[in-house]
Amino acid sequence: MQVKQLISFITAAQTKNMAQTAQALNYSHSTIFGHMEALEREFHTKLYLRTPHGIELTEQGELFLAYAKQFMRLYDEALAAMSAVHQSRLRVGASEASDLCLMHNILQEFVALYPAVELEYSKLTVDVALSRLSANTCDIAFLSECGYRPENVSASYLCTLPLVFVSSPTYFSAQQQPGLPRLVSSNTLPVVRETLQTVGVDFDRAFSSLMMVGDLNTIRQLLLYNRGIAFLPYPYIKRDLEDGTLVRVPELMEEIYLHTYLVTPSPSRIGPHTKSLMDLAFQRYNPSRLTEGNMIR
């Protein structure tokens, strides 16, 4: 049994997807399968099953997962104790809202203060970020995502980003057929419904349809071309609101709250560069380290 095999197994159990596991660990599919099969041979049991939706752990696989996590926690503690002063580079990930609203200021200040640190920065989805954290290919992730709840990770609350409903100033007058507006979102309909419910908005009563788009920059461009309305992070479109390029939708003045967390692989594995970046983030966006109420506007 090797550490890399355990990492592959734990990551695959979390993602339930071999392709995503391979991406998170920078391995080939065959390497991941090789690690899984090696563990099965060593313990003489079937640890997982392939399904049309990915993989599922067997009963023995669930039992082994608990032991594998215990082993990795001890490994993390030993690694941290033996290399507490050593961290040659800093690998940072951020979900899209964090990337657009927070990271420019944080990274600019960090690079100015620590120019010798080798910095790797990636914009990641929450699922990929969590996979990389679990696989120890990312040191810290800034995660802001609707419906995200930090579980089974070391997460610290940083701040809250309000999402506001906006459109172009001419959207409603430009609609060919007056009626309910179209919602433009980067999330699927189930996620959108759940998110809207947090502020008491019923999708079917408020909107005619959903246009699902991959990223916030594209959503903003679609709004400028009168393709619908969207709920976007206020800091991201603050300048647009100030100059009148976008306007808040009068019928939807509710704000959806998007909490941002700093997530690390484990509380014991925080190198000096990771801690320096965390300290900068808290100094800028949460100087009192409160647990709630730090609204970024």
Side-chain angles (χ1 to χ4, degrees):
M1 184 175 64
Q2 301 176 4
V3 169
K4 61 184 178 181
Q5 294 170 349
L6 292 178
I7 292 174
S8 292
F9 178 76
I10 293 171
T11 305
Q14 179 181 5
T15 65
K16 300 184 183 302
N17 184 292
M18 290 298 194
Q20 189 172 320
T21 300
Q23 179 185 9
L25 300 178
N26 294 319
Y27 287 149
S28 66
H29 286 202
S30 60
T31 299
I32 300 299
F33 282 117
H35 289 171
M36 304 285 276
E37 290 173 359
L39 290 172
E40 289 183 330
R41 287 195 304 271
E42 182 169 352
F43 292 100
H44 306 288
T45 188
K46 190 67 177 174
L47 298 175
Y48 72 99
L49 300 172
R50 299 190 197 185
T51 75
H53 305 290
I55 67 166
E56 294 290 340
L57 296 186
T58 64
E59 184 177 347
Q60 291 299 307
E62 293 286 357
L63 178 62
F64 178 68
L65 178 62
Y67 285 109
K69 287 181 176 179
Q70 289 183 44
F71 184 93
M72 290 308 301
R73 280 194 291 270
L74 289 173
Y75 177 77
D76 283 347
E77 291 178 9
L79 189 65
M82 300 302 293
S83 59
V85 297
H86 177 70
Q87 185 180 22
S88 61
R89 58 180 172 169
L90 179 61
R91 301 163 299 180
V92 184
S95 60
E96 187 176 31
S98 296
D99 174 70
L100 291 172
C101 299
L102 306 174
M103 299 311 297
H104 174 77
N105 291 333
I106 295 173
L107 294 179
Q108 186 179 48
E109 187 172 355
F110 182 86
V111 171
L113 290 172
Y114 308 99
V117 175
E118 179 184 348
L119 182 67
E120 296 179 9
Y121 177 69
S122 303
K123 186 168 72 172
L124 307 169
T125 64
V126 169
D127 287 344
V128 172
L130 292 175
S131 297
R132 292 192 179 183
L133 288 163
S134 175
N136 197 36
T137 58
C138 180
D139 298 308
I140 182 171
F142 291 68
L143 301 183
S144 308
E145 188 75 13
C146 289
Y148 169 64
R149 301 290 184 273
E151 297 178 356
N152 301 320
V153 292
S154 177
S156 300
Y157 168 79
L158 178 63
C159 62
T160 295
L161 301 172
L163 306 180
V164 296
F165 291 93
V166 293
S167 70
S168 78
T170 59
Y171 171 67
F172 289 95
S173 61
Q175 286 192 93
Q176 295 181 351
Q177 296 180 347
L180 296 178
R182 169 185 286 179
L183 182 67
V184 186
S185 173
S186 60
N187 295 116
T188 61
L189 183 57
V191 174
V192 167
R193 287 185 184 277
E194 182 180 348
T195 301
L196 293 175
Q197 286 174 0
T198 64
V199 292
V201 176
D202 182 83
F203 176 83
D204 295 321
R205 294 183 179 182
F207 304 102
S208 63
S209 61
L210 174 71
M211 178 187 292
M212 186 177 167
V213 180
D215 62 89
L216 299 184
N217 284 323
T218 302
I219 291 175
R220 177 180 174 276
Q221 289 300 317
L222 288 171
L223 297 190
L224 298 178
Y225 284 104
N226 285 325
R227 297 299 299 275
I229 73 173
F231 48 91
L232 295 175
Y234 180 82
Y236 171 54
I237 43 88
K238 180 178 180 180
R239 185 170 298 179
D240 291 321
L241 293 174
E242 291 173 347
D243 63 24
T245 305
L246 296 175
V247 296
R248 294 191 66 169
V249 178
E251 293 83 1
L252 293 166
M253 296 303 289
E254 298 89 347
E255 292 185 353
I256 298 170
Y257 301 133
L258 192 63
H259 301 306
T260 301
Y261 296 90
L262 303 188
V263 185
T264 57
S266 72
S268 61
R269 190 184 294 183
I270 298 179
H273 300 326
T274 304
K275 186 178 185 305
S276 296
L277 183 66
M278 293 178 71
D279 289 343
L280 281 178
F282 284 119
Q283 288 169 15
R284 175 173 283 275
Y285 294 113
N286 189 349
S288 58
R289 296 293 296 272
L290 299 178
T291 58
E292 61 182 355
N294 296 312
M295 197 78 67
I296 305 301
R297 293 188 177 275

PDB file of all heavy atoms in Angstrom, residues 135-158:
ATOM      1  N   ALA A 135      -6.271  15.795  -2.967  1.00  0.00           N
ATOM      2  CA  ALA A 135      -5.114  15.122  -3.554  1.00  0.00           C
ATOM      3  C   ALA A 135      -3.799  15.827  -3.237  1.00  0.00           C
ATOM      4  O   ALA A 135      -2.732  15.393  -3.688  1.00  0.00           O
ATOM      5  CB  ALA A 135      -5.288  15.040  -5.066  1.00  0.00           C
ATOM      6  N   ASN A 136      -3.868  16.928  -2.483  1.00  0.00           N
ATOM      7  CA  ASN A 136      -2.680  17.709  -2.140  1.00  0.00           C
ATOM      8  C   ASN A 136      -1.974  18.273  -3.367  1.00  0.00           C
ATOM      9  O   ASN A 136      -0.751  18.392  -3.401  1.00  0.00           O
ATOM     10  CB  ASN A 136      -1.690  16.882  -1.304  1.00  0.00           C
ATOM     11  CG  ASN A 136      -0.665  17.756  -0.604  1.00  0.00           C
ATOM     12  OD1 ASN A 136      -0.971  18.868  -0.167  1.00  0.00           O
ATOM     13  ND2 ASN A 136       0.559  17.275  -0.504  1.00  0.00           N
ATOM     14  N   THR A 137      -2.741  18.632  -4.396  1.00  0.00           N
ATOM     15  CA  THR A 137      -2.176  19.354  -5.538  1.00  0.00           C
ATOM     16  C   THR A 137      -2.610  20.814  -5.523  1.00  0.00           C
ATOM     17  O   THR A 137      -2.402  21.537  -6.496  1.00  0.00           O
ATOM     18  CB  THR A 137      -2.596  18.693  -6.864  1.00  0.00           C
ATOM     19  OG1 THR A 137      -4.026  18.664  -6.951  1.00  0.00           O
ATOM     20  CG2 THR A 137      -2.055  17.281  -6.967  1.00  0.00           C
ATOM     21  N   CYS A 138      -3.222  21.252  -4.427  1.00  0.00           N
ATOM     22  CA  CYS A 138      -3.586  22.649  -4.222  1.00  0.00           C
ATOM     23  C   CYS A 138      -3.415  22.940  -2.737  1.00  0.00           C
ATOM     24  O   CYS A 138      -3.807  22.130  -1.893  1.00  0.00           O
ATOM     25  CB  CYS A 138      -5.040  22.886  -4.656  1.00  0.00           C
ATOM     26  SG  CYS A 138      -5.626  24.589  -4.449  1.00  0.00           S
ATOM     27  N   ASP A 139      -2.794  24.084  -2.406  1.00  0.00           N
ATOM     28  CA  ASP A 139      -2.527  24.420  -1.006  1.00  0.00           C
ATOM     29  C   ASP A 139      -3.683  25.154  -0.350  1.00  0.00           C
ATOM     30  O   ASP A 139      -3.933  25.001   0.849  1.00  0.00           O
ATOM     31  CB  ASP A 139      -1.261  25.287  -0.906  1.00  0.00           C
ATOM     32  CG  ASP A 139      -0.035  24.561  -1.395  1.00  0.00           C
ATOM     33  OD1 ASP A 139       0.206  23.429  -0.932  1.00  0.00           O
ATOM     34  OD2 ASP A 139       0.685  25.108  -2.259  1.00  0.00           O
ATOM     35  N   ILE A 140      -4.391  25.984  -1.127  1.00  0.00           N
ATOM     36  CA  ILE A 140      -5.499  26.756  -0.569  1.00  0.00           C
ATOM     37  C   ILE A 140      -6.438  27.155  -1.702  1.00  0.00           C
ATOM     38  O   ILE A 140      -5.995  27.439  -2.822  1.00  0.00           O
ATOM     39  CB  ILE A 140      -4.989  28.016   0.169  1.00  0.00           C
ATOM     40  CG1 ILE A 140      -6.165  28.785   0.795  1.00  0.00           C
ATOM     41  CG2 ILE A 140      -4.164  28.912  -0.731  1.00  0.00           C
ATOM     42  CD1 ILE A 140      -5.719  29.916   1.719  1.00  0.00           C
ATOM     43  N   ALA A 141      -7.739  27.145  -1.406  1.00  0.00           N
ATOM     44  CA  ALA A 141      -8.732  27.539  -2.407  1.00  0.00           C
ATOM     45  C   ALA A 141      -9.683  28.557  -1.789  1.00  0.00           C
ATOM     46  O   ALA A 141     -10.078  28.427  -0.622  1.00  0.00           O
ATOM     47  CB  ALA A 141      -9.510  26.328  -2.907  1.00  0.00           C
ATOM     48  N   PHE A 142     -10.040  29.570  -2.584  1.00  0.00           N
ATOM     49  CA  PHE A 142     -11.017  30.573  -2.201  1.00  0.00           C
ATOM     50  C   PHE A 142     -12.322  30.189  -2.913  1.00  0.00           C
ATOM     51  O   PHE A 142     -12.423  30.310  -4.134  1.00  0.00           O
ATOM     52  CB  PHE A 142     -10.570  31.968  -2.643  1.00  0.00           C
ATOM     53  CG  PHE A 142      -9.378  32.503  -1.899  1.00  0.00           C
ATOM     54  CD1 PHE A 142      -8.116  31.931  -2.044  1.00  0.00           C
ATOM     55  CD2 PHE A 142      -9.505  33.600  -1.047  1.00  0.00           C
ATOM     56  CE1 PHE A 142      -7.012  32.426  -1.367  1.00  0.00           C
ATOM     57  CE2 PHE A 142      -8.405  34.105  -0.366  1.00  0.00           C
ATOM     58  CZ  PHE A 142      -7.151  33.516  -0.521  1.00  0.00           C
ATOM     59  N   LEU A 143     -13.307  29.735  -2.152  1.00  0.00           N
ATOM     60  CA  LEU A 143     -14.509  29.173  -2.758  1.00  0.00           C
ATOM     61  C   LEU A 143     -15.734  30.012  -2.421  1.00  0.00           C
ATOM     62  O   LEU A 143     -16.082  30.179  -1.246  1.00  0.00           O
ATOM     63  CB  LEU A 143     -14.712  27.733  -2.289  1.00  0.00           C
ATOM     64  CG  LEU A 143     -13.558  26.764  -2.600  1.00  0.00           C
ATOM     65  CD1 LEU A 143     -13.919  25.356  -2.161  1.00  0.00           C
ATOM     66  CD2 LEU A 143     -13.202  26.787  -4.082  1.00  0.00           C
ATOM     67  N   SER A 144     -16.375  30.537  -3.455  1.00  0.00           N
ATOM     68  CA  SER A 144     -17.646  31.251  -3.345  1.00  0.00           C
ATOM     69  C   SER A 144     -18.601  30.597  -4.325  1.00  0.00           C
ATOM     70  O   SER A 144     -18.409  30.712  -5.538  1.00  0.00           O
ATOM     71  CB  SER A 144     -17.492  32.735  -3.707  1.00  0.00           C
ATOM     72  OG  SER A 144     -16.444  33.351  -2.997  1.00  0.00           O
ATOM     73  N   GLU A 145     -19.605  29.919  -3.831  1.00  0.00           N
ATOM     74  CA  GLU A 145     -20.507  29.192  -4.723  1.00  0.00           C
ATOM     75  C   GLU A 145     -21.872  29.072  -4.082  1.00  0.00           C
ATOM     76  O   GLU A 145     -21.979  28.798  -2.880  1.00  0.00           O
ATOM     77  CB  GLU A 145     -19.959  27.788  -5.010  1.00  0.00           C
ATOM     78  CG  GLU A 145     -20.711  27.029  -6.065  1.00  0.00           C
ATOM     79  CD  GLU A 145     -20.421  27.515  -7.475  1.00  0.00           C
ATOM     80  OE1 GLU A 145     -19.441  28.276  -7.656  1.00  0.00           O
ATOM     81  OE2 GLU A 145     -21.151  27.133  -8.391  1.00  0.00           O
ATOM     82  N   CYS A 146     -22.924  29.304  -4.866  1.00  0.00           N
ATOM     83  CA  CYS A 146     -24.282  29.165  -4.344  1.00  0.00           C
ATOM     84  C   CYS A 146     -24.503  27.739  -3.836  1.00  0.00           C
ATOM     85  O   CYS A 146     -24.239  26.777  -4.537  1.00  0.00           O
ATOM     86  CB  CYS A 146     -25.300  29.486  -5.431  1.00  0.00           C
ATOM     87  SG  CYS A 146     -25.396  31.239  -5.871  1.00  0.00           S
ATOM     88  N   GLY A 147     -24.996  27.640  -2.616  1.00  0.00           N
ATOM     89  CA  GLY A 147     -25.310  26.338  -2.068  1.00  0.00           C
ATOM     90  C   GLY A 147     -24.128  25.568  -1.529  1.00  0.00           C
ATOM     91  O   GLY A 147     -24.303  24.467  -1.005  1.00  0.00           O
ATOM     92  N   TYR A 148     -22.911  26.121  -1.619  1.00  0.00           N
ATOM     93  CA  TYR A 148     -21.747  25.387  -1.136  1.00  0.00           C
ATOM     94  C   TYR A 148     -21.704  25.406   0.386  1.00  0.00           C
ATOM     95  O   TYR A 148     -21.840  26.455   1.008  1.00  0.00           O
ATOM     96  CB  TYR A 148     -20.456  25.985  -1.689  1.00  0.00           C
ATOM     97  CG  TYR A 148     -19.203  25.440  -1.018  1.00  0.00           C
ATOM     98  CD1 TYR A 148     -18.858  24.106  -1.135  1.00  0.00           C
ATOM     99  CD2 TYR A 148     -18.391  26.263  -0.239  1.00  0.00           C
ATOM    100  CE1 TYR A 148     -17.738  23.589  -0.509  1.00  0.00           C
ATOM    101  CE2 TYR A 148     -17.258  25.762   0.389  1.00  0.00           C
ATOM    102  CZ  TYR A 148     -16.941  24.428   0.244  1.00  0.00           C
ATOM    103  OH  TYR A 148     -15.834  23.928   0.873  1.00  0.00           O
ATOM    104  N   ARG A 149     -21.538  24.246   0.973  1.00  0.00           N
ATOM    105  CA  ARG A 149     -21.369  24.102   2.418  1.00  0.00           C
ATOM    106  C   ARG A 149     -20.072  23.328   2.661  1.00  0.00           C
ATOM    107  O   ARG A 149     -19.931  22.214   2.169  1.00  0.00           O
ATOM    108  CB  ARG A 149     -22.537  23.341   3.035  1.00  0.00           C
ATOM    109  CG  ARG A 149     -23.900  23.981   2.815  1.00  0.00           C
ATOM    110  CD  ARG A 149     -24.062  25.269   3.619  1.00  0.00           C
ATOM    111  NE  ARG A 149     -25.402  25.812   3.463  1.00  0.00           N
ATOM    112  CZ  ARG A 149     -25.775  26.624   2.495  1.00  0.00           C
ATOM    113  NH1 ARG A 149     -24.898  26.979   1.569  1.00  0.00           N
ATOM    114  NH2 ARG A 149     -27.009  27.094   2.431  1.00  0.00           N
ATOM    115  N   PRO A 150     -19.132  23.906   3.392  1.00  0.00           N
ATOM    116  CA  PRO A 150     -17.855  23.210   3.610  1.00  0.00           C
ATOM    117  C   PRO A 150     -18.036  21.980   4.476  1.00  0.00           C
ATOM    118  O   PRO A 150     -18.446  22.076   5.627  1.00  0.00           O
ATOM    119  CB  PRO A 150     -16.996  24.276   4.302  1.00  0.00           C
ATOM    120  CG  PRO A 150     -17.982  25.210   4.942  1.00  0.00           C
ATOM    121  CD  PRO A 150     -19.187  25.219   4.052  1.00  0.00           C
ATOM    122  N   GLU A 151     -17.742  20.819   3.907  1.00  0.00           N
ATOM    123  CA  GLU A 151     -17.841  19.561   4.642  1.00  0.00           C
ATOM    124  C   GLU A 151     -16.583  18.735   4.392  1.00  0.00           C
ATOM    125  O   GLU A 151     -16.064  18.696   3.286  1.00  0.00           O
ATOM    126  CB  GLU A 151     -19.068  18.764   4.191  1.00  0.00           C
ATOM    127  CG  GLU A 151     -20.393  19.468   4.473  1.00  0.00           C
ATOM    128  CD  GLU A 151     -21.584  18.676   3.973  1.00  0.00           C
ATOM    129  OE1 GLU A 151     -21.353  17.627   3.349  1.00  0.00           O
ATOM    130  OE2 GLU A 151     -22.726  19.106   4.200  1.00  0.00           O
ATOM    131  N   ASN A 152     -16.117  18.080   5.434  1.00  0.00           N
ATOM    132  CA  ASN A 152     -14.956  17.189   5.338  1.00  0.00           C
ATOM    133  C   ASN A 152     -13.700  17.906   4.848  1.00  0.00           C
ATOM    134  O   ASN A 152     -12.828  17.293   4.230  1.00  0.00           O
ATOM    135  CB  ASN A 152     -15.270  15.996   4.424  1.00  0.00           C
ATOM    136  CG  ASN A 152     -16.458  15.194   4.919  1.00  0.00           C
ATOM    137  OD1 ASN A 152     -16.606  14.973   6.109  1.00  0.00           O
ATOM    138  ND2 ASN A 152     -17.302  14.774   3.991  1.00  0.00           N
ATOM    139  N   VAL A 153     -13.616  19.203   5.067  1.00  0.00           N
ATOM    140  CA  VAL A 153     -12.428  19.970   4.714  1.00  0.00           C
ATOM    141  C   VAL A 153     -12.152  20.966   5.841  1.00  0.00           C
ATOM    142  O   VAL A 153     -13.003  21.199   6.701  1.00  0.00           O
ATOM    143  CB  VAL A 153     -12.602  20.746   3.381  1.00  0.00           C
ATOM    144  CG1 VAL A 153     -12.682  19.797   2.197  1.00  0.00           C
ATOM    145  CG2 VAL A 153     -13.830  21.657   3.434  1.00  0.00           C
ATOM    146  N   SER A 154     -10.967  21.552   5.818  1.00  0.00           N
ATOM    147  CA  SER A 154     -10.634  22.603   6.776  1.00  0.00           C
ATOM    148  C   SER A 154     -10.985  23.943   6.135  1.00  0.00           C
ATOM    149  O   SER A 154     -10.308  24.395   5.219  1.00  0.00           O
ATOM    150  CB  SER A 154      -9.141  22.546   7.120  1.00  0.00           C
ATOM    151  OG  SER A 154      -8.792  23.601   7.992  1.00  0.00           O
ATOM    152  N   ALA A 155     -12.081  24.564   6.572  1.00  0.00           N
ATOM    153  CA  ALA A 155     -12.595  25.774   5.931  1.00  0.00           C
ATOM    154  C   ALA A 155     -12.769  26.888   6.950  1.00  0.00           C
ATOM    155  O   ALA A 155     -13.235  26.659   8.069  1.00  0.00           O
ATOM    156  CB  ALA A 155     -13.925  25.491   5.237  1.00  0.00           C
ATOM    157  N   SER A 156     -12.380  28.099   6.559  1.00  0.00           N
ATOM    158  CA  SER A 156     -12.560  29.290   7.393  1.00  0.00           C
ATOM    159  C   SER A 156     -13.377  30.314   6.621  1.00  0.00           C
ATOM    160  O   SER A 156     -13.071  30.619   5.463  1.00  0.00           O
ATOM    161  CB  SER A 156     -11.203  29.902   7.760  1.00  0.00           C
ATOM    162  OG  SER A 156     -10.402  28.993   8.480  1.00  0.00           O
ATOM    163  N   TYR A 157     -14.413  30.834   7.267  1.00  0.00           N
ATOM    164  CA  TYR A 157     -15.240  31.859   6.637  1.00  0.00           C
ATOM    165  C   TYR A 157     -14.418  33.133   6.417  1.00  0.00           C
ATOM    166  O   TYR A 157     -13.713  33.595   7.308  1.00  0.00           O
ATOM    167  CB  TYR A 157     -16.455  32.162   7.508  1.00  0.00           C
ATOM    168  CG  TYR A 157     -17.222  33.397   7.081  1.00  0.00           C
ATOM    169  CD1 TYR A 157     -18.107  33.361   6.009  1.00  0.00           C
ATOM    170  CD2 TYR A 157     -17.035  34.602   7.748  1.00  0.00           C
ATOM    171  CE1 TYR A 157     -18.794  34.494   5.620  1.00  0.00           C
ATOM    172  CE2 TYR A 157     -17.717  35.735   7.366  1.00  0.00           C
ATOM    173  CZ  TYR A 157     -18.597  35.678   6.301  1.00  0.00           C
ATOM    174  OH  TYR A 157     -19.269  36.820   5.904  1.00  0.00           O
ATOM    175  N   LEU A 158     -14.509  33.704   5.214  1.00  0.00           N
ATOM    176  CA  LEU A 158     -13.786  34.937   4.902  1.00  0.00           C
ATOM    177  C   LEU A 158     -14.723  36.126   4.812  1.00  0.00           C
ATOM    178  O   LEU A 158     -14.543  37.127   5.498  1.00  0.00           O
ATOM    179  CB  LEU A 158     -13.014  34.793   3.587  1.00  0.00           C
ATOM    180  CG  LEU A 158     -12.254  36.042   3.133  1.00  0.00           C
ATOM    181  CD1 LEU A 158     -11.156  36.405   4.144  1.00  0.00           C
ATOM    182  CD2 LEU A 158     -11.658  35.828   1.738  1.00  0.00           C
TER     183      LEU A 158
END
